[in-house]
Amino acid sequence: MESTYSDFLRGNRILLQPCLCRLFFEDRQEDARPDAKAEGYEFPWGQLVETRAQGILAWDIRYKDIVEKCLETGIHPSVLEDYTVKLLERFIDQDGSIPDFFYVKGSKYLTQIKSGFGGLAITDCSKEADARLFMVNDFLPRLMPKIIRVLARLARIDTPANLFRWAITEKLTCPLSYSKEAKKCSFALDEVEKNLCGYDFQWGQIVEDDDDKIICWDFRLSQLHTFWSCIGDRRYSEMIADQFCYHLRSIQARSEMPSYIQIESRRHRTGSVTIAFPKKDSKKVREFFVECFFASLLPLIVIQINNFLVLEEKNTTAAEPLLKVA
């Protein structure tokens, strides 16, 4: 997504793929429908259409998966527009989160040309550089996820897997079993550890780090870790990480996981396992994990790790010397 942000700053638009949201605009007059050759920027959650006309520079929001779900469940997509516009107006009028040189498209302003479900626009083109910088530094990474969460909840698709697919991160709290283990082993949870972002699942967490070219995910099997941390010492945490790492490499060896994903055990972050891959492959990797890994591979891995630990616990207990009474 970093490359998309860079393209946005420079105004390097691409020809956008047609999406289902165009069905919503079919009843509009010909000059008010979205252009089939619209240009803009692609994101995991949808598109940002960029138009420049009549002295107005505008960015319209188009959703993908959310629109599809609304069409399936009978929710008219106009509801998405209503929610989007209201949230954008609140960000400007009440929260002050958006600079006042922006206008909201789809409300009482700038309704003559619509290419999506509301958006932002500027009429003072001398502010274009500031507007693009704000969009990249604040709106897209901070405010857009809030809008996506509200609409996903409305469409009843605000699942952890979908938020992961759309790269909508949230601030994570270190699982209690991990923080207890760190305290017991005299490991300090530094400020970086206290301000992590990523994805929460029933089975655990994925902590996301990225730089200019690489994305790293730290997997924490906290559900498994919580149970076994109550039974034994830190070696169980290490075994969970080692076994998870082993199973990931086995999957990759069977060509079931892309070969460009790097896998390593990362003990300094309390028994987690890290995978890293090029940012340019982010969409493919997310699809693989949502469609294949989370659905079928991970449940089996968790069962196999748990069975390994059960066997290890039995062997350890059997090897302990009997207490002799004098």
Side-chain angles (χ1 to χ4, degrees):
M1 197 147 55
E2 191 70 25
S3 60
T4 306
Y5 287 170
S6 299
D7 288 337
F8 185 90
L9 281 174
R10 292 192 286 265
N12 295 337
R13 303 182 302 275
I14 63 170
L15 183 64
L16 298 175
Q17 294 294 321
C19 55
L20 280 177
C21 73
R22 296 190 73 250
L23 296 174
F24 166 57
F25 301 96
E26 290 302 319
D27 58 348
R28 297 184 176 176
Q29 295 181 357
E30 188 66 32
D31 59 354
R33 295 179 190 171
D35 186 356
K37 297 182 179 180
E39 294 183 343
Y41 313 91
E42 292 275 0
F43 296 91
W45 45 262
Q47 301 170 340
L48 210 57
V49 182
E50 182 172 305
T51 55
R52 195 188 295 267
Q54 303 171 12
I56 299 169
L57 176 60
W59 296 286
D60 284 272
I61 301 167
R62 289 183 180 177
Y63 308 106
K64 288 183 180 178
D65 297 342
I66 293 176
V67 171
E68 292 177 10
K69 187 62 178 178
C70 285
L71 292 173
E72 288 176 8
T73 56
I75 299 174
H76 196 273
S78 62
V79 177
L80 300 181
E81 184 176 28
D82 292 340
Y83 271 81
T84 302
V85 169
K86 287 176 182 177
L87 287 168
L88 291 173
E89 288 177 337
R90 193 188 75 183
F91 290 150
I92 290 180
D93 299 334
Q94 298 178 22
D95 300 351
S97 304
I98 298 178
D100 57 8
F101 57 77
F102 278 98
Y103 294 91
V104 177
K105 286 197 67 179
S107 60
K108 55 187 176 182
Y109 302 106
L110 311 174
T111 57
Q112 65 269 38
I113 302 174
K114 288 189 178 183
S115 297
F117 298 99
L120 292 173
I122 58 172
T123 56
D124 182 358
C125 289
S126 68
K127 297 284 188 181
E128 180 176 345
D130 292 336
R132 289 186 183 277
L133 201 59
F134 166 78
M135 294 288 283
V136 166
N137 291 337
D138 289 278
F139 181 77
L140 290 169
R142 189 172 59 86
L143 299 179
M144 197 64 215
K146 293 182 179 180
I147 296 174
I148 295 294
R149 286 180 182 280
V150 171
L151 298 184
R153 195 176 304 121
L154 175 71
R156 297 180 182 177
I157 56 172
D158 57 332
T159 63
N162 279 333
L163 296 177
F164 175 84
R165 188 200 303 269
W166 303 326
I168 305 296
T169 60
E170 61 181 323
K171 187 174 180 180
L172 298 176
T173 301
C174 183
L176 186 59
S177 63
Y178 285 90
S179 58
K180 283 183 176 179
E181 179 182 288
K183 185 176 181 181
K184 187 186 298 183
C185 299
S186 300
F187 295 152
L189 293 178
D190 57 22
E191 289 305 312
V192 175
E193 183 75 15
K194 294 175 183 177
N195 294 281
L196 297 176
C197 289
Y199 313 93
D200 253 322
F201 297 86
Q202 185 177 2
W203 49 263
Q205 296 177 337
I206 297 178
V207 181
E208 182 167 292
D209 295 319
D210 64 70
D211 56 27
D212 291 339
K213 296 181 180 179
I214 301 294
I215 293 178
C216 293
W217 289 334
D218 283 358
F219 284 76
R220 288 171 160 171
L221 302 180
S222 52
Q223 191 177 57
L224 204 57
H225 187 276
T226 298
F227 176 79
W228 284 99
S229 65
C230 297
I231 297 176
D233 52 28
R234 186 169 184 263
R235 67 193 180 92
Y236 286 100
S237 177
E238 295 178 353
M239 283 190 281
I240 290 172
D242 289 342
Q243 285 294 305
F244 189 42
C245 196
Y246 164 77
H247 285 291
L248 289 178
R249 285 175 177 155
S250 298
I251 291 170
Q252 196 171 53
R254 299 194 302 266
S255 300
E256 295 179 27
M257 179 184 290
S259 58
Y260 51 77
I261 295 178
Q262 298 178 358
I263 305 165
E264 63 180 40
S265 182
R266 194 165 167 179
R267 298 281 171 75
H268 69 271
R269 187 166 275 173
T270 327
S272 66
V273 171
T274 301
I275 71 166
F277 55 89
K279 267 191 175 180
K280 62 183 179 65
D281 297 314
S282 175
K283 183 177 180 180
K284 291 187 294 184
V285 175
R286 289 181 190 277
E287 286 298 323
F288 163 75
F289 274 89
V290 171
E291 300 297 334
C292 183
F293 187 78
F294 294 153
S296 57
L297 296 175
L298 182 59
L300 292 176
I301 290 175
V302 170
I303 292 172
Q304 289 171 334
I305 294 175
N306 188 67
N307 290 343
F308 174 86
L309 296 175
V310 168
L311 185 60
E312 187 68 22
E313 173 67 14
K314 287 181 179 179
N315 292 338
T316 301
T317 304
E320 292 177 354
L322 296 175
L323 180 64
K324 294 183 179 180
V325 181

